[in-house]
Amino acid sequence: MANVTAAMVKELREKTAAGMMDCKNALNETGGDIEAAVDWLRKKGLAKAAKKAGRTAAEGLVALSAEGQKGVAVEVNSETDFVARNPEFQEMASAIAGVALGVGDDVATIEAAAYPGGGTVAEKIQATIATIGENMTLRRAALQAVSNGVVGSYVHGQVAPGLGKIAVLVALESEGKAEPLLALGKQIAMHVAATNPQGLDAASIDPAIVARERDVLAAKAREGGKPENVVEKIVESGVKTFYKEATLLEQVFVMDPDGKKTVAQAVKAAEAEVGAPIKVTGFVRLALGEGVEKDETDFAAEVAAAAGQG
């Protein structure tokens, strides 16, 4: 039997909102595997939701730079939020996004590129580390571009123009008018910031994720005593619901005042104003610290250890 710790139970509760004992039992049943325990709880109908997003613990900023048919977002990390509020750090993050707009979203290429004012981006980061006295990294970058149309953008939690906690880019292919296209792109970008879709449409979702969803739905139906012919129908219905919740184009558009249109329907409706067909070809969403965990510090234990009691 796995050594199930309180921290593991806490993490599973945060992911599923299930009860403490249910979480402990799930971890015991799955040998301490968190993701397998999530599925175990879902199959038993004990998990309210399987939260996919990683815990966001890293500090710093996401910076966005968009111009016409191209846009890029970068994540620049620091050790503390205090440094993220430093004007020098903010200026650097913004400048790095501007560099990335010209050279693309490969981190190594960005770091090797010329930084405005002299040297390379990597050298500027090292110089800023020396000046401020805190470690910093260019963690990742993502780009969207179209041959005809616009790239809409939005920054959530903005602390300065183009700098914040979440950056979103949405690519719209169209030969229509740029101004209403940009307005639509920003609205869809705001939607993406709020809903964090897993993909653009059903075809863009990882088949392994869909297979896992099918397995959970089938196991849960069988657990409820449903016959196999009914299980199959429940699974198909559940997968359709999953796509509506997980894919951008099938989600209900949060900007629709009536709360009825999907994103795809809102895009279609906008074609009259734009004066041409519109196709959403892609999107990116960078959330600060996504997928990175920072070690949690037990301050009381640190004090006790320093006093020779730990």
Side-chain angles (χ1 to χ4, degrees):
M1 183 178 291
N3 180 27
V4 176
T5 66
M8 293 164 66
V9 173
K10 178 176 179 288
E11 181 180 351
L12 187 57
R13 289 193 72 192
E14 288 174 351
K15 282 178 173 284
T16 64
M20 185 182 298
M21 289 308 299
D22 290 328
C23 288
K24 187 173 182 181
N25 290 337
L27 288 164
N28 282 328
E29 289 290 332
T30 58
D33 185 320
I34 295 288
E35 291 304 316
V38 170
D39 285 352
W40 189 91
L41 287 166
R42 293 182 68 201
K43 289 172 183 178
K44 299 292 183 182
L46 298 172
K48 294 181 182 178
K51 297 178 182 178
K52 306 293 184 183
R55 293 171 59 190
T56 56
E59 302 297 346
L61 289 168
V62 287
L64 184 150
S65 181
E67 188 176 303
Q69 297 172 325
K70 186 164 62 171
V72 69
V74 301
E75 179 179 357
V76 184
N77 292 136
S78 61
E79 290 183 43
T80 65
D81 183 57
F82 177 78
V83 166
R85 297 195 298 271
N86 183 300
E88 184 177 351
F89 179 85
Q90 293 180 1
E91 182 181 343
M92 180 183 73
S94 183
I96 290 173
V99 171
L101 188 65
V103 303
D105 58 5
D106 178 71
V107 170
T109 301
I110 298 169
E111 289 179 333
Y115 185 86
T120 65
V121 168
E123 288 168 347
K124 175 60 179 179
I125 293 172
Q126 290 302 313
T128 307
I129 291 171
T131 301
I132 295 179
E134 185 170 305
N135 191 33
M136 301 165 200
T137 58
L138 170 60
R139 182 184 171 213
R140 54 180 174 161
L143 182 143
Q144 287 287 296
V146 293
S147 54
N148 288 300
V150 302
V151 173
S153 62
Y154 171 69
V155 176
H156 185 71
Q158 187 164 273
V159 297
L163 298 170
K165 300 296 184 182
I166 299 174
V168 180
L169 298 166
V170 176
L172 301 178
E173 285 275 2
S174 178
E175 295 183 355
K177 292 177 283 188
E179 190 173 337
L181 262 181
L182 277 172
L184 175 65
K186 182 176 180 179
Q187 285 195 326
I188 298 175
M190 292 172 74
H191 171 98
V192 170
T195 64
N196 192 17
Q198 295 185 44
L200 179 64
D201 52 23
S204 67
I205 300 290
D206 185 346
I209 294 175
V210 180
R212 178 180 174 184
E213 197 68 23
R214 286 181 177 277
D215 179 59
V216 169
L217 289 165
K220 190 173 179 180
R222 292 187 185 107
E223 189 80 20
K226 304 294 184 185
E228 282 304 309
N229 63 321
V230 176
V231 168
E232 186 176 345
K233 291 178 181 178
I234 289 173
V235 169
E236 292 309 312
S237 176
V239 169
K240 287 181 180 178
T241 299
F242 167 75
Y243 283 139
K244 288 179 181 178
E245 294 173 349
T247 62
L248 172 59
L249 294 178
E250 291 194 42
Q251 287 179 337
V252 174
F253 192 31
V254 297
M255 307 301 287
D256 177 36
D258 298 321
K260 295 179 180 179
K261 288 180 183 174
T262 64
V263 172
Q265 289 168 337
V267 170
K268 188 68 178 174
E271 291 180 349
E273 184 181 2
V274 170
I278 305 168
K279 183 180 181 181
V280 183
T281 59
F283 71 91
V284 293
R285 179 185 188 274
L286 292 192
L288 178 65
E290 190 173 47
V292 176
E293 288 193 22
K294 184 167 63 178
D295 292 337
E296 294 184 9
T297 301
D298 186 336
F299 185 67
E302 281 189 2
V303 172
Q309 299 172 13

